[in-house]
């Protein structure tokens, strides 16, 4: 615990001198990382995405070294990885660093899965669950759901998901996310209304309808094109698209995927969610729509944000790890590089547990939600992940 505290002060000093030292004891703060590490198998299967990447930077051995170095450097209490297909190698390294772990592999032909690691010194696993979306006809993706206890006092639910990539299947993505939220909520209720953090690669951009669904608790799918729901579809606009624009075509099955019911076109979820990066109204130039990072992933076919750390009332986000400046990112001409091991950047947020307020029950009043956002934003600070701090990764 002492070590965790020192680390937090250290990281903060790099950016804003002295701010952390003046604050309260950080023993009860919890840092959580979400990082899609690009499965070796996926890297091999999609060479077209990495045409400009030097061959040696694509080698798993070198990527593994960089990924582990990155994870170790930020030293988060909880590490949620996606696209893990060399779990044994990663978990051996993590166990050496005092982490316990859990893995849930995707089904079908996929070789990778989600892996979650927590520091046994600080966190204790109370319950564990997972979702195999293929059981619900929602493709071969998976999610993990853990109940953890920090320092023997603060319990919370942790979700880790890698949402389906397919840009055209917004219905399936919405269904997967909806199920994760429902299941996380049920587990949180079972443990007396504990807070929730949801980490992962949601394969949806900050300006998308799926992002709106997450942050506003509902989405009328009949107002949207299934293929545009996640913001990932960049295909050309043809006659078919024009026709479907005039009349959004949803089959019964797609509606059921998205909302859970074939006769209901509004998808709903029960959680009042805030996104860590969006909550921090700081002055980083790396942030765009909603205050989200401009990019958490970069390769030949995509430059943008798909990774998030969502959380519910009962928690407040005190700091986040800044992403790389767009200039620096563009300068790489695509990830991974000889310095960065994946085609995603890790995101990290620090959470503090709040005293329960009088009314923490979910509600749909957006005005009230904005009030709360403003309050939390006032207390938040950034740490930088710039080329400067990148060099400190090398130094460690
Ligand atoms: O976007 V990802 O990368 O979260 O970083 O998740 C998927 C994609 C991952 C697992 O399916 O493999 C990548 N074009 C581009 N990327 C693809 C494609 C594709 N057709 N199929 C899978 N992936």
């Amino acid at each position: 615990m002492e070590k965790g505290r020192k680390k937090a002060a250290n990281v903060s000093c790099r950016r804003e001198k002295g701010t952390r030292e003046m604050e309260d004891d950080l023993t009860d703060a919890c840092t959580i990382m979400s990082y899609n590490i690009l499965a070796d198998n996926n890297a091999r299967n999609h060479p077209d995405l990495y045409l400009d990447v030097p061959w040696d930077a694509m080698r798993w051995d070198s990527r593994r070294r960089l990924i582990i170095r990155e994870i170790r450097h930020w030293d988060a209490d909880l590490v949620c990885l996606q696209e893990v297909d060399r779990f044994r190698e990663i978990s051996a390294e993590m166990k050496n660093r005092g982490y316990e772990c859990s893995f849930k592999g995707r089904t079908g032909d996929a070789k990778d899965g989600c892996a979650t690691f927590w520091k046994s010194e600080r966190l204790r696993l109370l319950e564990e669950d997972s979702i195999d979306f293929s059981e619900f006809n929602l493709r071969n993706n998976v999610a993990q759901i853990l109940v953890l206890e920090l320092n023997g006092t603060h319990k919370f639910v942790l979700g880790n998901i890698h949402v389906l990539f397919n840009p055209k299947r917004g219905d399936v993505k919405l269904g997967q996310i909806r199920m994760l939220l429902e299941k996380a909520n049920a587990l949180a209720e079972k443990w007396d209304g504990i807070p929730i953090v949801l980490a992962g690669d949601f394969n949806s951009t900050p300006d998308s309808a799926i992002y709106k669904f997450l942050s506003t608790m509902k989405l009328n799918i009949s107002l949207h094109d299934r293929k545009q729901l996640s913001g990932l579809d960049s295909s050309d606009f043809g006659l078919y698209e024009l026709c479907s624009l005039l009349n959004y075509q949803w089959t019964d099955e797609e509606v059921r995927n998205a909302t859970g019911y074939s006769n209901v076109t509004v998808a709903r979820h029960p959680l009042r969610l805030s996104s860590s990066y969006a909550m921090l109204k700081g002055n980083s130039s790396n942030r765009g729509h909603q205050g989200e990072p401009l990019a958490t992933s970069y390769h030949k076919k995509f430059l943008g944000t798909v990774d998030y750390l969502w959380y519910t009332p009962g928690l407040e986000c005190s700091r986040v790890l800044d992403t790389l400046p767009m200039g620096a990112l563009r300068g790489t001409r695509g990830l991974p590089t000889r310095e960065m091991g994946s085609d995603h950047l890790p995101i990290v947020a620090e959470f503090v547990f709040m005293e329960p307020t009088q009314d923490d029950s979910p509600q749909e009043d957006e005005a009230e939600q904005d009030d709360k956002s403003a309050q939390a934003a006032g207390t938040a600070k950034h740490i930088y992940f710039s080329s400067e701090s990148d060099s400190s990764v090398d130094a460690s």
Side-chain angles (χ1 to χ4, degrees):
M1 277 172 269
E2 183 57 31
K3 193 167 153 278
R5 207 151 55 224
K6 270 195 198 134
K7 180 79 193 181
N10 235 346
V11 174
S12 175
C13 284
R14 227 185 292 130
R15 165 69 162 68
E16 288 186 28
K17 268 194 200 132
T19 50
R20 183 51 81 195
E21 283 81 346
M22 288 184 284
E23 284 176 16
D24 295 341
D25 198 316
L26 265 179
T27 309
D28 285 348
C30 185
T31 48
I32 305 183
M33 169 183 276
S34 181
Y35 192 13
N36 178 325
I37 64 169
L38 175 56
D40 187 30
N41 197 59
N42 295 344
R44 289 166 196 272
N45 283 346
H46 301 284
D48 51 316
L49 306 181
Y50 312 106
L51 286 177
D52 288 331
V53 179
W55 71 272
D56 52 307
M58 286 308 293
R59 288 186 50 221
W60 169 249
D61 274 355
S62 92
R63 292 207 299 113
R64 187 199 61 211
R65 216 169 302 125
L66 294 170
I67 289 161
I68 293 293
R69 191 174 69 173
E70 182 93 35
I71 295 171
R72 285 184 166 188
H73 180 76
W74 300 115
D75 196 32
D77 299 315
L78 248 168
V79 177
C80 300
L81 304 183
Q82 303 87 37
E83 286 203 32
V84 178
D85 66 349
R86 305 276 194 138
F87 177 67
R88 254 189 297 172
E89 291 171 51
I90 301 279
S91 64
E93 302 260 16
M94 294 298 279
K95 278 177 186 160
N96 284 339
R97 288 289 283 198
Y99 289 90
E100 289 178 59
C101 58
S102 169
F103 176 77
K104 176 74 179 173
R106 290 165 67 201
T107 54
D109 296 336
K111 305 266 184 288
D112 63 298
C114 294
T116 300
F117 303 86
W118 60 95
K119 277 190 191 160
S120 48
E121 185 191 45
R122 307 203 71 213
L123 291 154
R124 189 163 68 99
L125 182 68
L126 301 177
E127 188 173 347
E128 187 174 7
D129 205 349
S130 62
I131 308 176
D132 168 357
F133 292 110
S134 69
E135 286 178 12
F136 307 91
N137 250 328
L138 291 170
R139 302 299 178 95
N140 65 353
N141 305 82
V142 293
Q144 300 180 287
I145 313 179
L146 278 54
V147 181
L148 293 151
E149 187 178 55
L150 176 73
N151 292 336
T153 41
H154 304 290
K155 297 180 180 60
F156 62 102
V157 172
L158 186 272
N160 180 16
I161 188 169
H162 184 195
V163 172
L164 176 75
F165 162 73
N166 191 339
K168 302 197 190 310
R169 297 312 300 268
D171 56 323
V172 175
K173 296 186 198 222
L174 201 54
Q176 292 180 347
I177 294 170
R178 187 175 46 73
M179 287 198 64
L180 171 67
L181 273 42
E182 276 167 13
K183 199 146 190 173
N185 184 52
L187 215 49
E189 302 261 287
K190 178 179 161 188
W191 284 87
D192 265 353
I194 54 178
I196 300 170
V197 177
L198 302 171
D201 176 349
F202 287 72
N203 264 316
S204 309
T205 60
D207 57 358
S208 68
I210 286 183
Y211 184 96
K212 195 167 158 235
F213 168 70
L214 278 151
S215 50
T216 65
M217 307 174 78
K218 64 176 181 192
L219 183 74
N220 185 343
I221 59 164
S222 62
L223 302 175
H224 298 271
D225 179 350
R226 159 172 70 75
K227 298 191 289 318
Q228 304 295 332
L229 274 186
S230 69
L232 285 192
D233 190 26
S234 56
S235 59
D236 292 339
F237 208 77
L239 191 60
Y240 171 78
E241 279 72 22
L242 190 64
C243 293
S244 68
L245 249 190
L246 299 173
N247 178 18
Y248 301 126
Q249 297 288 343
W250 286 79
T251 66
D252 280 358
E253 189 193 346
E254 288 160 3
V255 172
R256 196 167 54 246
N257 286 343
T259 70
Y261 309 94
S262 49
N263 58 347
V264 176
T265 55
V266 177
R268 292 179 184 275
H269 75 76
L271 301 179
R272 227 164 69 199
L273 292 173
S274 307
S275 174
S276 303
Y277 281 69
M279 290 306 289
L280 302 191
K281 307 281 187 277
N283 55 356
S284 163
S285 57
N286 307 331
R287 323 241 311 279
H289 195 87
Q290 313 278 8
E292 293 290 353
L294 285 168
T296 62
S297 177
Y298 183 28
H299 57 57
K300 268 265 170 287
K301 292 195 179 152
F302 183 72
L303 170 62
T305 295
V306 287
D307 303 284
Y308 304 93
L309 283 157
W310 297 90
Y311 63 97
T312 62
L315 290 168
E316 220 174 69
C317 176
S318 41
R319 301 187 296 169
V320 296
L321 178 63
D322 211 350
T323 49
L324 211 61
M326 285 304 267
L329 204 49
R330 280 211 178 86
T332 67
R333 304 183 63 214
L335 305 182
T337 68
R338 290 186 177 117
E339 285 78 40
M340 287 176 278
S342 172
D343 60 350
H344 289 247
L345 303 174
I347 58 171
V348 184
E350 178 185 77
F351 297 96
V352 285
F353 288 81
M354 308 307 290
E355 290 301 320
T357 55
Q358 276 190 330
D359 180 18
D360 266 350
S361 58
Q363 43 179 293
E364 297 187 25
D365 186 336
E366 285 179 29
E368 165 138 337
Q369 218 170 319
D370 287 347
D371 269 3
K372 291 223 164 92
S373 312
Q375 274 173 25
T379 64
K381 295 177 188 61
H382 290 272
I383 45 180
Y384 258 137
F385 182 56
S386 59
S387 24
E388 181 188 288
S389 51
D390 199 23
S391 64
S392 72
V393 174
D394 292 335
S396 66

